[in-house]
Every structure is written in structure tokens, then in C-alpha cells.
Amino acid sequence: MNKLQLKHRELKIISVIAASENISHAATILGIAQANVSKYLADFESKVGLKVFDRTTRQLTLTPFGTALLPYINDMLDRNNQLNNFIADYKHEKRGRVTVYAPTGIIAYLSQHVIAKIQDIGDISLSLKTSNLERKAFYEGVEFPDDCDVLITYAHPKDESLVASFITKYVVTAFASNQYLAQHPISTPEELEHHSCILIDSMMIDDANIWRFSSSDGKQMHDYRVTGNYVCDNTQSALSLARNHLGIVFAPNESVKADIQSGLLKPCFSEQHEWWLDLVAIFRKREYQPWRVQYILDEMLNEIRQQLTQARYLQPE
């Protein structure tokens, strides 16, 4: 029996047809003529001697054979892609996928201020994904997603084999709208227990958050148990609720600059009650890091640190 000689291109075409369930759509995705896609499919089915798709007037559906075959095709395509990426990494070619995870606010910052500055990424496909902190991540460490290459976040990793590269310290404190504070005055963190606080899911313990503030002299830290009617899984949602006068939010100063300037929000305390946290980039050790990942990581961190340095330089004394 002659051994089948299956080409990468025809396997790719079968995979795309299966995903789109339509010859015309598959042709558009692949960038080739519809007639050529149909011919590739017909030739493939003739070669293997079995039908891969059942045809209707509007779409194609996999036959039982096609359903069983597709995982093997996708696995072969994935292995081929991994091989190409492996070779490209050794040759320092800019190709392959790099996946970056970060909380909502950081993803927005990267998209707006950082990614556009990395102009020479070649054929690298850069995937940005939102990963807000899970409950208790501040206390137990943050999980590193399976498909993640770089995680930029506010907590250190649970897996101690990963590298956590310090980026900067950032300040977190309490903010509320002028209307809320006019109706519910507050002067010290001790009074938070009597207020409606907008909670962050990753900081939940039972039905409350623990917010940490330094003393007015900055020499000691104190924890305060706060409760409220609203729980958000990211700071941006919590800030939106605070803008609508629904309570006090615990947020990084950098996230609130525009709101303070426009008068939507203001600090709750006149004295210097703050919590300083680390912003870190988490990634695998360099010896396990593909070159394309290290290239994007270095470019992002260099740009972020340059912007932080410039911001400090421009700050008034």
C-alpha cells in the first residue's frame, strides 16, 4: 500500500474550511481563489479515498471521518508551527506568537502608550489578553496562564520558578466623588467601616476587602476591613461606580489622574494615607524563554521604564 504524502498547504486548507464551514469564507481567510480551495479539497478527498465534508447549499459539515481526522490535522499543523518557531528563535527571526497578559488598566496602558512604540516586530503576532487578579492573589500569589508568555500585574507569582522583574512602585489609596464625600464626610481610614466601599474581587476575604494604609507619618501600616454593595473584578469598573457616587474606591493614583483633574473624583484623606505596591513583569527564566518572547519583553520593559523615568523628570519639585 502506497504511503500517503500529505502536504502542509492542503492540511491547512482542510483546517480552515472546517473552522469556517464555508468554501467562500475559507478562500477569503486563506487569500486564494475559491475554485482553488474547492480543487484542493476534492484532490485531498480523492487522495485519501474518504469524504471529509458533507456538502449543503450553504455550508460544509464534517463527516464522521472528518470529525475524527481534524484533531490529527490540527496537531500536525501546530507541531509544524512549533518547529518553525523553534528554528526562527535560534536564528533570531521575528516570527511566531507572543502572548501578553495584564489586568484591564495595564492592558489599556500597553495598547495606548507602549505597543505602538515597538515598531519593528517583523512577523511576530502579538496577542494581548486581559487577566484580572483572582481572589486572594495578593496574599497567595498570582497564577501564570498556560498560554502566557509575559504577565504584567500587581502581585508576585505563585510559582517560584518564574521570574518576577520589578518595574516600579505604585501608590494605592482611597477616592470618591465630590457628591459622595459631601453627603458622607470621611477624614481617616478608621471611619471606612461606616462607609459604602466598592470592593475588588481579588482582595475578597469572606464578604470584605482588607485595605492597607500607612499612618499619617508614613512609619506604620494598618489593615482595615471594608464592606460594600458592589464587587468588581477590575479597577476600571470600580472607578466607573465611584464616578456615579456609589461609594469609595481603592485605586492606584495613576489610574485616577484624569478623574482628579476633571473633578470627577478626589482623595478621601487630606493626610498621606497610602499603600505602596509593586508592579512586576512575570515570565519564564531566560534559558526557557524563546527569543521572540525575550525580544518583545525587553522592548516593552525598556519603553515602560523610559516613560516612567520621563514622568519623574517632568514632575514639579
Side-chain angles (χ1 to χ4, degrees), residues 9 13 17 23-40:
R9 185 171 181 79
I13 289 172
I17 293 172
I23 292 286
S24 177
H25 293 167
T28 300
I29 293 168
L30 293 162
I32 59 180
Q34 182 174 335
N36 290 341
V37 175
S38 297
K39 186 176 187 308
Y40 268 109

Side-chain angles (χ1 to χ4, degrees), residues 138 171-176 192 197-200 203 209-213 226 235 238-239 242 247-253 256 269 273-277:
F138 277 113
V171 185
V172 183
T173 191
F175 300 91
L192 283 167
C197 296
I198 300 166
L199 309 181
I200 301 297
M203 303 177 72
N209 272 188
I210 303 298
W211 291 359
R212 180 170 293 177
F213 294 92
V226 301
T235 301
L239 288 171
I248 296 174
V249 65
F250 195 51
N253 286 8
V256 191
F269 310 120
H273 295 290
E274 298 175 333
W275 186 12
W276 286 82
L277 293 174

Side-chain angles (χ1 to χ4, degrees), residues 54-291:
D54 285 323
R55 293 157 176 79
T56 66
T57 55
R58 293 190 175 182
Q59 67 178 28
L60 304 179
T61 57
L62 288 165
T63 63
F65 167 69
T67 300
L69 175 67
L70 188 62
Y72 290 96
I73 289 179
N74 288 337
D75 184 62
M76 290 180 68
L77 292 172
D78 185 57
R79 287 176 179 274
N80 185 74
N81 192 50
Q82 290 179 28
L83 175 61
N84 289 334
N85 288 343
F86 174 79
I87 294 170
D89 283 329
Y90 260 78
K91 296 169 69 176
H92 287 193
E93 294 178 351
K94 294 172 184 174
R95 73 176 307 276
R97 178 182 293 271
V98 176
T99 303
V100 179
Y101 277 82
T104 307
I106 299 299
I107 283 289
Y109 167 74
L110 293 175
S111 303
Q112 186 172 357
H113 300 290
V114 176
I115 300 304
K117 301 295 179 67
I118 310 173
Q119 297 178 357
D120 187 18
I121 66 172
D123 292 325
I124 293 174
S125 173
L126 188 55
S127 176
L128 300 179
K129 296 188 177 183
T130 300
S131 177
N132 294 312
L133 291 178
E134 296 293 331
R135 188 169 296 187
K136 298 185 179 180
F138 277 113
Y139 313 105
E140 297 179 357
V142 65
E143 295 282 357
F144 195 75
D146 291 339
D147 64 335
C148 181
D149 293 308
V150 180
L151 171 61
I152 299 179
T153 190
Y154 307 122
H156 286 258
K158 182 180 290 187
D159 184 348
E160 295 181 355
S161 70
L162 296 168
V163 178
S165 178
F166 173 78
I167 299 175
T168 188
K169 288 278 188 184
Y170 69 100
V171 185
V172 183
T173 191
F175 300 91
S177 69
N178 286 309
Q179 181 177 319
Y180 178 87
L181 292 175
Q183 296 173 350
H184 312 280
I186 185 170
S187 57
T188 67
E190 285 78 6
E191 300 170 35
L192 283 167
E193 63 179 334
H194 305 301
H195 285 260
S196 171
C197 296
I198 300 166
L199 309 181
I200 301 297
D201 187 62
S202 60
M203 303 177 72
M204 292 294 289
I205 298 178
D206 295 327
D207 60 346
N209 272 188
I210 303 298
W211 291 359
R212 180 170 293 177
F213 294 92
S214 61
S215 57
S216 56
D217 59 10
K219 294 181 179 179
Q220 292 180 304
M221 298 296 296
H222 300 283
D223 290 343
Y224 300 90
R225 184 178 184 276
V226 301
T227 59
N229 298 104
Y230 305 98
V231 182
C232 299
D233 70 351
N234 65 83
T235 301
Q236 299 303 311
S237 297
L239 288 171
S240 294
L241 294 178
R243 294 181 192 113
N244 283 298
H245 326 300
L246 294 176
I248 296 174
V249 65
F250 195 51
N253 286 8
E254 290 296 320
S255 300
V256 191
K257 278 185 174 179
D259 291 310
I260 292 175
Q261 291 173 356
S262 64
L264 288 173
L265 297 174
K266 65 180 293 186
C268 292
F269 310 120
S270 57
E271 296 180 339
Q272 201 72 8
H273 295 290
E274 298 175 333
W275 186 12
W276 286 82
L277 293 174
D278 291 346
L279 181 67
V280 296
I282 300 171
F283 48 90
R284 298 177 184 88
K285 291 181 179 178
R286 189 175 287 268
E287 57 264 34
Y288 304 116
Q289 191 83 282
W291 179 83

